[in-house]
Amino acid sequence: MADESVFRALAHPARRRVLDMLRRGERPVADVVQSFSLSRQAVSQHLRILRTSGLVRQRPNGRGRIYWLEPTKLRDVARWITPYQQLL
């Protein structure tokens, strides 16, 4: 099962929005920042939380970074929620 840090990371709407962006493919950090009406520092904090929970990964790209979705932790969440889908 997914650890608690994954559920905490998913709890914030800005972080879910980042995951939605990265679902379509990897993105430079500048693109992620530009998509929000938050400061660069605030977006960086959200990216750090997603990274430490294992939901996203990063690599250097010149002076910036490239981020992408790491779906393994989402599979754990999906496994956990599957039994509840019959209640919908």
Side-chain angles (χ1 to χ4, degrees):
M1 183 165 107
D3 62 52
E4 193 174 322
S5 69
V6 172
F7 289 103
R8 278 194 309 267
L10 293 172
H12 197 284
R15 293 191 285 268
R16 291 192 305 268
R17 193 167 148 211
V18 170
L19 293 177
D20 285 341
M21 288 177 63
L22 297 177
R23 181 180 48 162
R24 290 178 230 124
E26 58 183 39
R27 304 285 292 267
V29 69
D31 286 0
V32 177
V33 170
Q34 193 173 36
S35 298
F36 287 88
S37 60
L38 301 170
S39 69
R40 185 177 184 93
Q41 182 179 3
V43 174
S44 292
Q45 176 72 9
H46 287 302
L47 286 167
R48 184 187 63 77
I49 291 167
L50 289 169
R51 211 174 50 250
T52 58
S53 71
L55 289 168
V56 301
R57 303 210 38 207
Q58 71 170 5
R59 73 171 184 275
N61 183 40
R63 297 179 76 190
R65 302 223 178 266
I66 301 288
Y67 284 85
W68 68 92
L69 185 63
E70 178 55 58
T72 305
K73 297 287 185 163
L74 290 174
R75 284 187 204 116
D76 294 341
V77 172
R79 278 189 217 116
W80 177 80
I81 204 161
T82 296
Y84 297 94
Q85 289 178 327
Q86 66 183 333
L87 301 173
L88 300 176

